[in-house]
Structure formats: C-alpha cells, structure tokens
Amino acid sequence: MAMDRAQVSRRGFLGMGLAAGVITLTACGADSDEKSSSSGNATAANLVMTVWGGEADKTAYQKRIDLLVKKFPELKVTLQLIPGDGYAQKVQTMIAGGKGPDIMQVAESVNVYSSKNQLLPLDELASKAGLDLEKRFGSIGKLYSYQDKVYAIPDRSGAMIVYYNKALFDAKGIKAPSADWTWDDALSAFKELTVPGKQWGYAGGGWWAQWWSFVYQNGGKIIDDSGKPAVATDEVIEALQWTGDLVFKHGVVPTKKQYADMGADVGGDQAFANGKVAVNTTGFWAIGGLAKSKIDWDIAPLWKGKQQAVTAFGSGLAVSRTAKNPDAALKAIDFLTSPEAQQQIIATGQDVPANIEVQKSDAFLKPAWMTKPVNMNVFGESSDFVYRAPFIPAWNEMQKAFDDGLADFWLGKQDARTALTAIQKRLETIVKPS
C-alpha cells in the first residue's frame, strides 16, 4: 500500500539496477584468471566477489576490499558489480558453468541458492576461524540459515525504523514515538495528526516488511516452526486487518488514489519528506533522502504489539560452491564484517553495518556526513527485537502469492480473513516444509 518501490530500489536490499553489464573493480592488481597459489587453505588466493548496487555501494565495497588486501597482501580480490535485476540469473549461470564467484552478496533469496547446492555451509569454516556470529551480529547472526546450516554471514543489517515529523508532534503535544508505544498508542497519535484530505498520521504498512512486523508483534508467523505456511491464523489475520483498517476504517493513511494525487510515483518516503504524513516506517536509506528536506524530523524504534518485533533489512556474504579456496573466502568475509572494515559502510553513508560493535560506536552514532542531530541509537536498540524472517527457497513465489492475493485487500474490497484464507491455500501448493 505505502511501499515506496523507488526508494527500496535505491537502498539495494532487493538489488539496485545499474545501466547494463558487469562492472569489475580490481584491488591490488588481482588477476581474476590467475589460479590460487594454495588450494584449500588461506595462505594465498585470488578471489572474485560479486555484489549488486550503485555508486555508493561500489565506493564502500572497494574501500573495504582495499583495507582487506592491505592487511592480508596474500589475498587479491576482484569486485564485480552486477545489475540488481539480473543478479540472481547471472550468478547462478556463473556457478552452473563452474566459474562462480568465490564470495557473493545475498539477501532474502539466499535459500534459493542454498537449496540448489549453490552455496557452501559456513558453520565449520566460521568455527575454525573463531568467528562468533551471535557475539558479532546479535540476534541476526544466523539469519541466513537453511536446514540448520548457516549459508551467509551478515554484512549489512538495519532494522525498519520510525521516521516522525517533530514539528507536527510538538504542535499536538504528542510525545515522540518509542518502543513502548502499543498499537492503540500509535493509532491514537495517527488520528490526532490527521487532517482529512490534507495530512495523514501514517504513511501506511502495505509492504511485506511492514505488515509482517505487525504479524510477529501479534504472536503470529508467516511460516511456522515446521516449515508450513501459517497465514490463515487469527494472529496473522488480526495484524493484517489492523494495518488495512488504518486506511479504510480510520482514514489515517492515504489511499492509493490520495497518493496518486500527490504526484507520480509518490510513496511513503516522499510523502513524509514533503510533510504530507507525520510518521513513516522504512529503512536507513530514507535518511539520505531527507538531508535536503525542510521538515524537522528524527527517528525512533518501531512500536510493539503483544511483543516487540521488527523486520531487518540487509544482506550477507556467502561462499559459492565453486569457490577454489573456501578458507580464503571465509578469511576475507571475516575481515569484511569486522569493526575495522564495517566502519566504511557508515562512513560512506551506504547502509547500516551488521556488526553490533560498529552500530554502537561513535563512527555510526555521529557520522561525519550527518547534517543534523539524529538518534542513531535507534538501530542498536531495534536490533534486540528483530524477528527471523522466513527466507525460504520459495521466497519469490511466496511474495508473488501475497502480491496477487492482497491486491483487492489493499483497495478496500476484501477483508483480511478472506484474502489470507485464499493465500494460505495457494502457499500450501508452493511452500514445502524443509
């Protein structure tokens, strides 16, 4: 409903498109055709690392790679940027041809790869390297797992956060949003902040990352512990209906038509930056877009339901099954996710580093490029209640089922129970328990 697809593409969580082709950057004279001088150990190796992204990503990744090869001269790394819309097909073709990258960026579709035996499990490699995933990354340490095996190490990870218009809150005498807000608190504030037809309290929760957060706050799950779809449960239905009621019952979220009236391709991020909505829930990427906004804004953690839960946006680094030297690849990933290297993620304004130590450091809390005081502590606070999203092999098919099945719901033509009951039946034919 309020999903701002243009802003999501900018973020790169789902992949940021480049014009065309593959951009290759080489660190310290690495020759991608040269064989590793040692196979099966991390003494020396030439590695290829594939990622998606744009200019900010290219800069940040290259700076981190430069730090890596400076510290470990025996490792040479060639960075390949692949357009986001062709990323999955490209890397799978490379792997199938026996010429896959050594290290590859993955996100919510990680188990599309792992279920096809295209990635190496990393548990033993990480253990041998002394890499404690929980200590380094907190609750998301084993986010990229499949059948109890870890297939990627977290690299970038920032929780969905609340952006709020301070001036509008102050004018109504409403206290800033907090993690202690309940659904009732949020709705009450949204109503007070809404001026019918002119200003809305909330940008909406129609993107999966938003309404799924409410599902998990309500004690529900999209996929249950046995691996089966569970979207027709009372907990999920109640959460989705609450989200839809914000639009069609309470009028505190713009309808699709009202968004369209604001301008072409306007969604939650732009509407918030233009002062049309008082609260927006989205990721780190909106901070850059607000740098030139005239509104007085800050950020806060997402409110809670029966419990606290929030979606995390991010990506991880995996080792392809065609990697010639998995130990060297893991050694590189270990450094790239260390505090020294991860500081470059925030220094360039690219994203939120997955490393908890960096999230709590001054480098993150007070980045040099920030133009106004922003409560960056919110990301570290929110990391304590990130839920583990079901990154199943059928992720893409599952999302299409939701997109198709909720189309009428987001137009106010169907209730949550009817929509989710039909989606449950469809998912049962798509999702197979692992």
Side-chain angles (χ1 to χ4, degrees), residues 341-364:
Q342 291 253 303
Q343 284 189 19
Q344 293 299 324
I345 298 176
I346 189 62
T348 56
Q350 180 195 25
D351 207 339
V352 179
N355 190 295
I356 295 297
E357 181 181 334
V358 179
Q359 285 189 20
K360 296 179 179 180
S361 70
D362 283 345
F364 180 79

Side-chain angles (χ1 to χ4, degrees), residues 265-348:
D265 298 322
V266 170
D269 290 6
Q270 296 101 324
F272 178 79
N274 293 336
K276 291 292 188 179
V277 298
V279 173
N280 185 31
T281 48
T282 189
F284 170 89
W285 60 87
I287 288 178
L290 288 170
K292 297 180 180 179
S293 175
K294 296 180 180 179
I295 68 170
D296 184 15
W297 60 277
D298 205 344
I299 59 177
L302 186 65
W303 53 85
K304 65 180 180 180
K306 296 175 183 175
Q307 58 195 31
Q308 290 179 313
V310 67
T311 299
F313 305 107
S315 62
L317 297 177
V319 178
S320 148
R321 69 172 171 82
T322 58
K324 299 179 181 65
N325 194 324
D327 291 278
L330 196 284
K331 183 176 181 178
I333 292 174
D334 188 5
F335 178 81
L336 292 171
T337 59
S338 70
E340 180 181 354
Q342 291 253 303
Q343 284 189 19
Q344 293 299 324
I345 298 176
I346 189 62
T348 56

Side-chain angles (χ1 to χ4, degrees), residues 16 18 23 53-61 81:
M16 185 187 322
L18 301 176
I23 297 177
E55 288 302 314
D57 301 281
K58 178 173 68 175
T59 299
Y61 282 119
L81 277 85

